[in-house]
Amino acid sequence: MSSTSRGSPGPRRETNEAAVDAVTGALASPRGPLLGRYDSHERIQYTGRATTFAQATSSTLAGLLAPARPGHPWAG
């Protein structure tokens, strides 16, 4: 009996949706995104981070970011 699966060859990937809910670094010079997902109670939960922004991306995002609203669970 073979233990090989009959799916398509190559690595299998799973995808999930996440939101960028915060950044590392200062708002004027963000370094990287912090990702979150909503749990079953509609509360945002930290799920991980992505790679550091390139300098051009950081500069562009700096003009679009705002401080966390009161009550944001990651404010601080």
Side-chain angles (χ1 to χ4, degrees), residues 5-16:
S5 80
R6 295 187 180 248
S8 58
R12 184 176 175 165
R13 295 182 183 205
E14 276 189 45
T15 59
N16 287 293

Side-chain angles (χ1 to χ4, degrees), residues 38-67:
Y38 287 97
D39 65 15
S40 59
H41 301 288
E42 296 300 313
R43 293 178 303 219
I44 194 76
Q45 299 294 322
Y46 173 77
T47 55
R49 63 184 292 168
T51 58
T52 304
F53 295 129
Q55 183 60 45
T57 303
S58 177
S59 297
T60 300
L61 287 175
L64 302 172
L65 298 174

